[in-house]
Amino acid sequence: KIPVALGPERIVENDGKLYVSHKGAWSTNNLVSVIDIATENVAEVTVGDNPDELFFDANGILYVLSEGRVIYSEDWLTVLGHTSASIAKIDVVSNTVLSTIEFAEEAHPSLFEISGDDLYYYLNNNIYSLKTSATSLPTEAYAETGAITGMAINDINLFTVAASYTALSDLNVYQLSDKTMVNTFKVGIGATKIYFN
């Protein structure tokens, strides 16, 4: 058993270490834990509020999408403000943040993928794409998908899932090259995550 910070969300392994995003469960958090598998030592990297998805590029740089958070009154009836969502670029040798791209105050992106040197994220019924070398966010959407609950990339295709909680969910498959939908499937009720074996 390895104690970590509040609200672990996603875990990825790279070069003998586990990287864990901490979204905060019913609260909030802004950490990525770095666990050395051999020694079980834990280091922490501070990122934006509510980090969720994280991926490595081909050069071993870690990218973390933090969704930001909505700040409510004590009775949860009034929105008092927002913290910024962001994409952080992390050097895993020194466990330091190399750079951060912040979103507009009320933007709360979710879902995050990497393919080669392209990053993809979901915001307001659209998927956006930017290069790993980018220093600012795109102004135009890569694709309009409507409401989705899951996203993944495998080879030349982008997969999205739109969860239904009363009937089968929709899994749609798009070609990355021209963004055309090439297939659609019915999958389980409440589908969200997509993984490949």
Side-chain angles (χ1 to χ4, degrees):
K1 184 168 77 170
I2 304 174
V4 294
L6 177 70
E9 190 69 24
R10 184 174 171 86
I11 304 171
V12 297
E13 186 276 336
N14 186 65
D15 197 25
K17 294 180 180 178
L18 299 177
Y19 295 83
V20 185
S21 61
H22 295 273
K23 198 170 179 180
W26 295 107
S27 183
T28 187
N29 213 330
N30 63 349
L31 298 173
V32 172
S33 289
V34 183
I35 304 170
D36 186 299
I37 295 171
T39 66
E40 298 185 1
N41 287 337
V42 180
E44 293 178 339
V45 182
T46 301
V47 292
D49 284 346
N50 295 358
D52 188 352
E53 308 284 354
L54 61 169
F55 290 96
F56 282 89
D57 70 8
N59 298 313
I61 299 295
L62 179 63
Y63 293 83
V64 179
L65 175 69
S66 296
E67 297 178 359
R69 68 185 176 103
V70 181
I71 303 168
Y72 291 95
S73 58
E74 283 188 28
D75 59 8
W76 293 89
L77 298 176
T78 306
V79 174
L80 302 177
H82 302 258
T83 63
S84 296
S86 61
I87 298 173
K89 192 173 179 178
I90 297 173
D91 177 355
V92 295
V93 175
S94 61
N95 286 337
T96 57
V97 176
L98 298 171
S99 62
T100 301
I101 301 176
E102 289 194 348
F103 287 76
E105 182 180 323
E106 295 185 13
H108 298 287
S110 62
L111 309 177
F112 191 52
E113 280 290 329
I114 188 169
S115 177
D117 62 351
D118 293 306
L119 302 170
Y120 297 85
Y121 63 88
Y122 171 73
L123 178 64
N124 298 335
N125 294 334
N126 296 309
I127 293 174
Y128 292 83
S129 174
L130 69 158
K131 295 293 183 186
T132 54
S133 59
T135 57
S136 60
L137 296 169
T139 55
E140 293 185 9
Y142 168 81
E144 296 179 13
T145 59
I148 61 174
T149 51
M151 178 174 76
I153 293 172
N154 184 19
D155 216 6
I156 61 172
N157 292 321
L158 168 71
F159 296 75
T160 66
V161 64
S164 171
Y165 298 95
T166 57
L168 292 177
S169 304
D170 291 317
L171 174 69
N172 297 318
V173 186
Y174 301 85
Q175 285 189 158
L176 281 174
S177 58
D178 61 8
K179 298 171 271 189
T180 57
M181 187 187 296
V182 294
N183 223 326
T184 186
F185 303 94
K186 291 293 182 182
V187 293
I189 292 175
T192 54
K193 299 292 186 182
I194 303 166
Y195 294 99
F196 304 98
N197 62 18

